[in-house]
Amino acid sequence: MAGHADHANLIDRFIAAAYGMGGLPAADLARAACVVLPIFVLFFALGRLVGKLPPRLQVGARRALTVAALGTIAFGAYEGVEARQHELRDIRLLAPIELLREGEKSEGRIFMNPSALASSRLLAPRLIPQAPDSASAQALSSAPVRWREEDRSKPFSAILLATPLDDCRPLVDLLSNSPEWQLARIDNMGVLYKRGQNESTNPISRTHFANNRDEALRNAQLAMILHFLGKNQDAREFMDLARRIAPRDPVVLTQSATLAASLKQWQRAREAAELALKENPSSLQAHYLLALAFLEMKKIPAAATESGVLASFNSSDPSVLLLQARIAREANDPTTEISALEKLLTISKKRMADPTIIHIHLAQAWAKKGFSAQALENYTAALEGDLTPAQRAEVETARGTIKDRTPRLD
C-alpha cells in the first residue's frame, strides 16, 4: 500500500508541477502523459523483443502486436469518451484552485483546514509555512475556543476552508457572527474569509467552464457550499441552473437530491434520486437518498424495498445500517432492525464511539420480538452510558417493566 501511495503522490506532484508552469492546459497534458507514456514504453519494449525473435516467428508476433496496439488505441478512445461523460477531470472541480490563488494574495498568516492544506502542498506550497500543520488544523477547525486562542496568539489574516466542510461547522458559525471576518470568496470547492475586508461585492465566484457538463458540476458543487453557509435561495438557484445545463447527468441529479433532502423537500429528493438511478443504477448515494425520501414520506413498503437494495450494495456502511434500522422499525420488522443494529454496534465499538443509543434501540427491538433477556442486557448496557436524567429514567422504567413481567430474569 505504501508503494501505491507514493506512486500516486508522484503523479499528483507531476500534474501539480505542470499546472504551476502552464496552467490548466499543461495539467491536462500531464494527466494524459501519465496514461499514454507507460503504454508507449510497453509497446516499444515489446517491439524490441519481437525484433530479436527468430525470423519465422517475427511475422506472426508483429501481427499480434499490431492488433494489440490497435485494440489498445480503440479501448483508450472509448475510455476517453466515457471518462469525459462521467469522471471529474477539470482540476477546478477537484481542488480549490481559485481560493488558493486568492489566498496567496493575502499578507500574513493564513489558516487552512486539512483538505485545503493537502491541496496547498501541491498547488500553493508558499502558503504552507504560514499555516498550522494538519493535526492542529483539524483540532482548531472543530474547536472555536481553541481557534480564537490561536488567533490571539498569532493572528491570521485569511482563512481558507476547502471541501469537505463538515468538521468546520463550529468555526464557520464563529466567523459568521464575527464582525472581524468577512466572506471574501465562495467557490465550488470551499470558502475564503479575510480579516477586516468590507464585503462590498458579491463573494460568489463567477468562474465558467467551456464544457457544459463541467459547468453544471461546478454549479451543483457551489450550490452545496451555499447551502452549508445557510444561503439556501442562492443554493436552489445554482442547483436549478446545473440541472438545466445537464438534466440527465447522474452526479448533478444526485447532488440535487442531496440538497432537496437537506432542505426536507422529500418529493423533490425522491424524483431527483429516481432520475439519477435511471442514469446510474449502481449509485449508492442515490439509493440511500431514495430510501430516505420514501421513509420521510411515510411510504414504508417502498422504503423497505429500497433499503434491501441499498444493503445489497454496502451492508457495512454505518449510515446505511442506521437508515436500514430506522426503516425496519417503521415497518415493524424487528428481525431486520436487530441485524442492522448489531452490525452498527460492532462498528461503533471498533471505532471507540458511544454505543448508548444503539443499545437502547436494540433493547426496544428485542423487547418487541419477545426476547426479554436480550432486551434487559441492552438496557443495562445503556445505563452505563452518558444519558440525560430523562433518558435514564425512561430506560429504568422500561427495564423495570420487563423485570416485572419476567421475574425470573431479575
Side-chain angles (χ1 to χ4, degrees):
M1 289 295 291
H4 290 298
D6 292 342
H7 179 63
N9 191 43
L10 286 173
I11 291 175
D12 289 343
R13 290 182 181 279
F14 174 62
I15 294 172
Y19 171 79
M21 290 186 290
L24 293 173
D28 287 340
L29 186 61
R31 191 197 302 267
C34 289
V35 176
V36 173
L37 283 177
I39 297 173
F40 175 80
V41 171
L42 173 63
F43 276 99
F44 179 78
L46 289 173
R48 295 293 298 271
L49 287 174
V50 168
K52 295 180 180 181
L53 292 174
R56 61 188 177 83
L57 298 178
Q58 285 191 21
V59 175
R62 289 186 189 280
R63 286 177 181 171
L65 192 60
T66 301
V67 170
L70 291 173
T72 301
I73 292 171
F75 180 73
Y78 170 77
E79 285 289 298
V81 172
E82 285 292 303
R84 189 169 183 82
Q85 291 177 346
H86 300 294
E87 292 182 4
L88 301 183
R89 299 188 64 81
D90 192 308
I91 195 171
R92 292 172 295 175
L93 297 171
L94 301 167
I97 299 293
E98 301 299 329
L99 294 177
L100 289 169
R101 284 177 178 170
E102 192 69 25
E104 287 184 311
K105 298 176 184 177
S106 300
E107 296 181 0
R109 194 170 180 232
I110 186 169
F111 177 83
M112 292 183 282
N113 68 334
S115 51
L117 274 170
S119 295
S120 181
R121 288 190 185 96
L122 295 174
L123 301 167
R126 186 184 71 80
L127 295 177
I128 295 296
Q130 307 172 54
D133 61 36
S134 186
S136 298
Q138 181 71 48
L140 294 172
S141 295
S142 56
V145 174
R146 290 183 59 187
W147 186 90
R148 219 170 4 227
E149 290 173 353
E150 179 72 15
D151 184 45
R152 289 197 192 102
S153 173
K154 298 178 182 178
F156 297 109
S157 62
I159 302 164
L160 197 167
L161 305 176
T163 55
L165 296 174
D166 294 344
D167 291 343
C168 299
R169 167 58 66 193
L171 178 56
V172 168
D173 289 343
L174 170 69
L175 298 172
S176 299
N177 295 312
S178 172
E180 275 191 272
W181 293 95
Q182 300 292 337
L183 265 173
R185 193 177 187 91
I186 305 172
D187 189 65
N188 62 302
M189 294 303 298
V191 294
L192 178 71
Y193 291 86
K194 289 189 176 180
R195 188 189 293 275
Q197 178 168 311
N198 184 18
E199 190 179 356
S200 57
T201 58
N202 189 344
I204 300 175
S205 169
R206 296 295 172 181
T207 303
H208 292 287
F209 294 76
N211 180 290
N212 279 346
R213 180 174 184 263
D214 288 348
E215 179 74 9
L217 291 172
R218 176 261 178 190
N219 286 327
Q221 290 177 340
L222 180 56
M224 299 309 298
I225 299 292
L226 290 165
H227 169 62
F228 180 83
L229 295 171
K231 299 178 182 293
N232 290 329
Q233 181 61 39
D234 290 326
R236 285 190 289 265
E237 289 176 3
F238 275 97
M239 190 64 76
D240 289 344
L241 178 58
R243 291 190 61 171
R244 287 198 298 271
I245 296 171
R248 296 181 56 186
D249 186 86
V251 177
V252 170
L253 289 166
T254 303
Q255 290 277 56
S256 178
T258 302
L259 177 62
S262 298
L263 296 172
K264 301 189 183 305
Q265 298 173 342
W266 299 114
Q267 181 60 34
R268 184 179 175 91
R270 172 192 171 178
E271 292 170 355
E274 287 176 332
L275 287 172
L277 288 170
K278 285 183 180 179
E279 302 300 326
N280 181 13
S282 63
S283 171
L284 181 64
Q285 187 178 357
H287 278 293
Y288 178 92
L289 290 163
L290 182 56
L292 178 62
F294 280 138
L295 172 63
E296 295 294 343
M297 295 170 72
K298 305 302 180 185
K299 297 182 181 294
I300 305 305
T305 300
E306 192 61 33
S307 174
V309 175
L310 184 63
S312 70
F313 277 94
N314 190 341
S315 61
S316 61
D317 182 276
S319 61
V320 170
L321 290 169
L322 183 58
L323 180 61
Q324 187 181 24
R326 286 182 60 198
I327 292 171
R329 170 171 288 225
E330 292 295 324
N332 196 27
D333 179 6
T335 300
T336 300
E337 183 183 3
I338 289 167
S339 176
L341 289 172
E342 290 285 4
K343 292 177 183 176
L344 196 59
L345 183 62
T346 301
I347 294 171
S348 176
K349 289 178 178 178
K350 286 181 179 178
R351 297 183 178 182
M352 305 296 288
D354 184 7
T356 303
I357 301 301
I358 300 174
H359 278 300
I360 292 174
H361 288 310
L362 265 172
Q364 292 168 346
W366 279 117
K368 187 182 295 184
K369 200 173 179 182
F371 287 77
S372 300
Q374 289 86 343
L376 279 174
E377 179 184 344
N378 280 282
Y379 274 133
T380 301
L383 289 171
E384 297 175 2
D386 186 15
L387 294 170
T388 65
Q391 289 174 324
R392 188 169 295 278
E394 187 176 338
V395 170
E396 289 281 14
T397 300
R399 187 165 170 265
T401 299
I402 294 175
K403 282 187 173 185
D404 290 341
R405 291 176 180 174
T406 52
R408 291 182 182 179
L409 294 174
D410 192 358

